[in-house]
Amino acid sequence: MTTEHAHGTRAGKPEGIGARVPRKEDARHLHGKGNFVADMAMPGLCEVAFLRSPLAHARIVDVRVDPGVAGCVILRDQMADAADIVADSSLPTYQSSAQPPLASGKVRFVGEPVAMTFAPTRAEAEDHAELIDVDYEDLPVYADVFSAQAATDNLVHDQWKDNVFVTLNADREFDAYAAQADVIVRRQMRLARQCMVPMEGKAVLAYWDHQGDQLVVYSATQVPHMIRSILAQTLGLEQGRVRVISPDVGGAFGYKCVLQQEELCVAWLAKTYRRPFRYIEDRREHLTAGANSREHHYEMVAYADRRGKLLALDARITVDGGAYSVWPFTIGLEPGQAVGNLPGPYNFKGYRCVTRAVATNKPGFVPYRGVARTGVCFAIELTMDAIAREVGREPWEVRLENLVQPEQMPYVNVTNKHLDSGDYPASLRKALEMIDAQGVRARQAQGLADGRLLGVGVATYTEQAAHGTSVFATWGTPVIPGFDQATVRVTPDGGLEVRVGVHSHGQGMETTFAQIANEILGIPVARIKVVHGDTGQTPFSTGTYASRSLVMSGGAVSQACKRLLPRAVHIAAHLLQATPADVELADGRFLAQGRSVSMDEVADAWYLRPHLLPADVDTSGLEVTVGYKPKVDTGCFTYASQAATVAVDPATGAVEILDYVVVEDCGTMINPMVVEGQTMGGIAQGIGTAFYEETPYDANGQPLASTLADYMLPGPTEIPHMRMHHFETPSPHTEFGAKGMGEGGAIAPPAVLFNAVNDALRAVGAAELAHTPLTPVRVLQAIAEGQARQATERARAA
């Protein structure tokens, strides 16, 4: 990977903001010293397994347990003191689902837990599950949104009026602007259902701490404080009697930001039996019963003038929401993000959109890296290419005229998104320069020597990051994020402890938060300890999701350090026999009148030599807790343009990515190396969405990809060399102008690569591809369809 920087880049301090500091957390992971739930050992630990439904929709008629294992088997009626998981929303039309920890009355998807077993080993627990017999009565199966919407009885949830979780509508001057159009373009797109496939699946260990008289839950979660709240609620415990610890987490991507049934079940076991229990999800469970994502259906109608200027957009979006709405974000988050973010970076005035989340007999839909924006970027960017083809212009020419212009910033778009800063056209122009779009056109005209077809594709997107109270309040979710808090404490030897309520599962927070503190206090990064992931030791945060952690908790760390600094300066001034106004902080030392003292000496005075302190010292000491949220909490908007060239073999349908470039602007970068790593990882996942990943179901709701032999993932040989260019346009609303960017890399690749392949296939008149994943079979089908259409047209002409 190669990188470049553009305007706005700041040098920062050697270890502060803008420095490429190696990630502190990498050392323990590279040496095998991480601490994951599966690594933990505890006396008397029992392993948990689940008997899961083999049917997608059925009533439970009878359950028979072999008497020899009855004491190690739990059914729903034995868990009367554990409430169902209910994720209500205040959105109009929303229908609430109650997800029992173990199936009760009926099952709603293949893999739904029906019974729980435990034993000293996982193998024994699975053997116990084999001694449970369940009689089912088949019910109609709704394996797709079309059959689900047509149903009138035997619904997924019997008390509902239909199988629709929620319907959202937007209409902004649509008729007036659509009437002005010279060109109307209609397209349909579809994204396949996917799994998240983190390296570590679900993992939870719980025990009763008799000394603390509390339930302690180790969970591989992104949101420990929220899990604590909901476990206390569902188990009928005071929150002070529940402690949730999130140790090292092997990836999450949204999969671990909701309450899982298994977390509730294992916590209930520990509360009930007062001994330790653990559950580790295996890969087959993840692929069949783990929550899914991405499955969107789009019907797009674009209204434009003769040059391709978009005037109005009419969209119908249908989301396959699976059987249950997840806590706390609810299924309403996905259609809410879709209807709000479909316009992306474009400037147009007429908008009409209807979005539905439909209940089907599949696992529940969980937020996945990009939350709806991968889908809406796919839809709007393929539509932009379609408009360009219709008006006979290059796709980038049409985009450059439709993008919000830098002089319009800050810009409130057609869905009331507050685009805070940036130069969207500049990012696209730079991407075109890097990919050499004109050179690609020349090579296309010459043709490739091996007979493959050359194509180029582009996409520009926005990533709404760190959206807060006002946004979530309109979505009506059970938990609304507010102020994130951070605690900073100077240790007696002059080091620093930073405590935050978010949790890292690969984002490098132990490094970037230390860099923020170093920028303000000058304490070396090596002497800054970031504590996170433990509700017993950290201040409250709703957690790590929605590209919010650096902006929210990082902002709190910044504010806390700024508030702590004057206290340290005051003590240093007294030690230096100077006034605070005369003291400067440079290279980690306090300077005045030709003399200096270190933070170590300041800390030593506060903790161990109080006789050296000034009489008017701040008695709050060298510890501060601060709550923070940005000045405007509608979110800050990272943006980027990505471009790729591909070669398509018309004989086999194989696609090779020849070049991939990224031009992104996430405001002020705390650590460019971390930014690049996040972007590369996101693009790898986006390539998976584009070319490989799919969780298909048959008409009976049976998952057809239950192993990694069936569920395809991109590997090192499928990920191209990437070239990256950075703009830095600071956000006016956040500390240091930083913006969240953790999801961005995953948003654009499907759109970029489909546009590139469709561009290549124009040479043979192929039908447009608009259904992920873009497999060789689908490429060949598109070529065959195009050839059949051409033959029909020739026959008609004759």
Side-chain angles (χ1 to χ4, degrees), residues 387-510:
I387 292 171
R389 281 191 287 273
E390 186 69 23
V391 301
R393 301 182 70 196
E394 288 284 15
W396 44 84
E397 293 174 348
V398 169
R399 281 176 173 81
L400 287 169
E401 289 191 19
N402 279 288
L403 288 169
V404 175
Q405 301 300 306
E407 61 270 17
Q408 294 177 284
M409 293 292 184
Y411 178 80
V412 179
N413 78 354
V414 70
T415 58
N416 203 37
K417 298 297 182 186
H418 293 248
L419 309 181
D420 54 306
S421 57
D423 190 336
Y424 300 170
S427 73
L428 178 55
R429 291 189 188 98
K430 183 62 180 179
L432 293 170
E433 173 193 324
M434 292 173 69
I435 206 73
D436 188 16
Q438 296 304 322
V440 172
R441 287 290 182 248
R443 290 165 62 197
Q444 280 180 323
Q446 295 173 356
L448 297 180
D450 58 9
R452 292 188 299 171
L453 307 174
L454 186 65
V456 60
V458 298
T460 301
Y461 68 88
T462 58
E463 176 188 0
Q464 185 180 12
H467 33 299
T469 304
S470 62
V471 176
F472 279 89
T474 61
W475 289 334
T477 53
V479 176
I480 309 295
F483 291 90
D484 259 52
Q485 292 179 297
T487 298
V488 295
R489 175 196 299 158
V490 177
T491 59
D493 62 354
L496 190 72
E497 291 178 355
V498 175
R499 297 177 184 268
V500 290
V502 294
H503 184 64
S504 177
H505 47 273
Q507 294 92 334
M509 296 178 196
E510 293 174 34

Side-chain angles (χ1 to χ4, degrees), residues 197-340:
V197 203
M199 292 182 69
E200 176 199 37
K202 298 176 187 176
V204 56
L205 183 155
Y207 69 94
W208 191 267
D209 179 358
H210 293 278
Q211 181 181 22
D213 192 30
Q214 65 179 181
L215 174 68
V216 178
V217 180
Y218 283 88
S219 178
T221 180
Q222 302 168 229
V223 290
H225 286 274
M226 285 205 291
I227 295 302
R228 177 199 190 194
S229 296
I230 190 61
L231 285 179
Q233 178 183 324
T234 52
L235 295 175
L237 293 170
E238 295 178 0
Q239 291 206 26
R241 301 187 74 197
V242 179
R243 179 182 178 187
V244 173
I245 302 170
S246 186
D248 284 325
V249 174
F253 313 121
Y255 184 52
K256 301 171 184 175
C257 71
V258 302
L259 176 65
Q260 312 280 1
Q261 288 172 284
E262 294 88 351
E263 286 175 309
L264 176 54
C265 286
V266 172
W268 178 87
L269 283 171
K271 173 202 169 191
T272 303
Y273 290 94
R274 296 299 204 261
R275 58 186 293 188
F277 296 87
R278 173 169 57 191
Y279 166 71
I280 305 293
E281 178 184 66
D282 65 31
R283 191 57 64 187
R284 185 181 290 271
E285 286 179 304
H286 177 76
L287 293 174
T288 57
N292 300 164
S293 195
R294 289 283 192 261
E295 191 169 3
H296 288 199
H297 301 254
Y298 290 87
E299 298 176 32
M300 304 279 285
V301 185
Y303 297 78
D305 68 15
R306 288 186 179 87
R307 290 185 55 80
K309 179 71 176 73
L310 184 61
L311 303 173
L313 182 65
D314 190 9
R316 299 289 181 273
I317 307 173
T318 306
V319 177
D320 188 326
Y324 295 105
S325 185
V326 296
W327 190 96
F329 298 109
T330 81
I331 188 59
L333 177 66
E334 192 77 12
Q337 283 277 56
V339 71

Side-chain angles (χ1 to χ4, degrees), residues 120-143:
T121 67
R122 173 66 177 258
E124 291 175 273
E126 291 179 353
D127 288 345
H128 294 345
E130 293 289 328
L131 299 175
I132 305 169
D133 292 320
V134 184
D135 293 335
Y136 296 98
E137 176 189 333
D138 285 348
L139 292 170
V141 173
Y142 309 114

